[in-house]
Amino acid sequence: MSSHITIKDIAKAMGCAPSTVSRALNNSANISPAVREAIQRYALEHNYRPNEFALSLRNNRSNTIGVILPQIVHYFFSSVLSGIEKAAAAAGYNIIVAQSNEEYEKEVAIVESFRKAKVCGVIASLAKGTYDFTHFRRLVDEEVPLVFYDRICTELNTSRVVVDDYTGAFAAVEHLIETGCSKIAFYTSPLHLEISKNRRNGYVDALRKHRIEVDNDMIIECDNRARARELTMKLISSPERPDAFFAVNADTAAGILYACKDAGLRVPEDVSICGFSDNEMARSTEPRLSMVDQPGEAVGQGAMELLLAKIDGNEEKLVYKNKIVKTSLILRGTTREK
């Protein structure tokens, strides 16, 4: 028999998930005795040898995974956390959750605390102010499995999970165009972030597809309600006011809506509004906000699956994967019907 049988091979033969095989081979109490015995017997009969890298990682590190959230109060990030928690519990892992609060220095301190705690892996989304990735590079150099989600780092070789920001933005802006809007403002998060670049590209390509000139003055960094309310009052007071807004999140979209209503504009008859990342706020305004929905739980579960593949040795050390989660356009009262 070959000595190169892998956990994936065993999982395929036994009709179960690789993570189940890994836990069975490590005598996890979360696996029934019968299944555990069957997997171990198959591995023995087929001369399975554990991945040395994964084995040393497990022996020297805790059974805990570190999770970094930019803002825990943000509905999307709390949904991601829910997905991570469920997947971690099912696999028999604990998690430590830390919030960077969008601060680079705090993010650096969190990573250092995870290193000292000898976590067996890290799942992270970048703070808005992060331009230097030395702290994450240290994790990679120390061979701590690392997965980025949503706000990813493209400078490091890691697995990543993102929503399809480009397609979501394109679909939203195209709907605004197809319902009669032609001067569409885009309120975005900082443009150095990959999610911002992808959403901007979707916005721009939708305009170009419909032969609408791109006005860079209509692309504005704004990602909170107070700022959106202030900016929108100025824009809708100008002679060339926008007839639609596409916002980076529900909080920003709500700020736009309040400004338009304060100015006596009818929504969506005079101004249409669509945002990105559906949440309870979007469903509570009057009229309710049209939104691009990004399923946070699916992002969290996907990130955990990619991380477990590294921790359990189901992926080669230098193999990295990108997982893209689809979005959907939810049409409500702030956009016109076709």
Side-chain angles (χ1 to χ4, degrees), residues 13 56 88 165 254 272 278:
S56 64
D165 294 293
S272 292
D278 191 39

Side-chain angles (χ1 to χ4, degrees), residues 69-242:
L69 305 177
Q71 283 187 319
I72 201 165
V73 295
H74 193 298
Y75 177 82
F76 171 70
F77 291 124
S78 63
S79 298
V80 172
L81 178 58
S82 177
I84 292 172
E85 284 182 322
K86 290 178 181 177
Y93 286 85
N94 302 313
I95 65 171
I96 301 175
V97 182
Q99 176 182 225
S100 70
N101 202 30
E102 304 290 10
E103 298 173 13
Y104 166 75
E105 292 80 7
K106 191 168 184 180
E107 184 181 271
V108 171
I110 291 168
V111 171
E112 182 60 22
S113 70
F114 285 169
R115 289 179 62 242
K116 290 180 179 178
K118 293 189 178 297
V119 296
C120 60
V122 173
I123 298 174
S125 184
L126 297 174
K128 291 178 192 173
T130 298
Y131 293 85
D132 183 348
F133 310 108
T134 303
H135 50 308
F136 287 116
R137 189 180 302 280
R138 188 172 294 118
L139 291 177
V140 174
D141 291 343
E142 294 175 356
E143 299 184 343
V144 178
L146 171 63
V147 174
F148 284 105
Y149 68 93
D150 192 49
R151 300 180 193 165
I152 62 173
C153 173
T154 58
E155 294 186 16
L156 299 176
N157 289 325
T158 67
S159 294
R160 309 159 187 153
V161 182
V162 295
V163 299
D164 194 347
D165 294 293
Y166 173 88
T167 301
F170 185 97
V173 175
E174 182 165 62
H175 177 78
L176 293 171
I177 295 168
E178 290 177 345
T179 53
C181 303
S182 59
K183 193 171 183 62
I184 304 168
F186 173 35
Y187 286 2
T188 177
S189 51
L191 287 168
H192 71 277
L193 297 171
E194 287 299 312
I195 60 168
S196 303
K197 295 175 186 176
N198 291 333
R199 291 177 192 178
R200 181 190 181 282
N201 290 341
Y203 163 85
V204 167
D205 285 354
L207 294 180
R208 287 175 174 164
K209 176 184 175 181
H210 293 272
R211 302 183 185 280
I212 297 174
E213 184 178 354
V214 177
D215 182 354
N216 288 323
D217 289 338
M218 289 289 101
I219 301 175
I220 304 166
E221 285 195 19
C222 172
D223 59 4
N224 64 76
R225 191 187 319 180
R227 178 73 172 143
R229 199 164 187 168
E230 176 188 343
L231 283 174
T232 302
M233 288 301 293
K234 292 179 181 178
L235 282 177
I236 59 180
S237 299
S238 67
E240 298 295 321
R241 72 169 175 82

Side-chain angles (χ1 to χ4, degrees), residues 30-64:
N30 293 322
I31 306 298
S32 70
V35 172
R36 191 165 63 237
E37 182 182 343
I39 290 174
Q40 290 177 354
R41 184 170 59 251
Y42 184 92
L44 181 64
E45 291 172 352
H46 291 79
N47 204 21
Y48 167 74
R49 294 289 181 273
N51 179 295
E52 293 302 323
F53 164 70
L55 186 61
S56 64
L57 204 60
R58 292 298 300 273
N59 288 338
N60 292 311
R61 297 191 181 278
S62 68
N63 200 44
T64 301

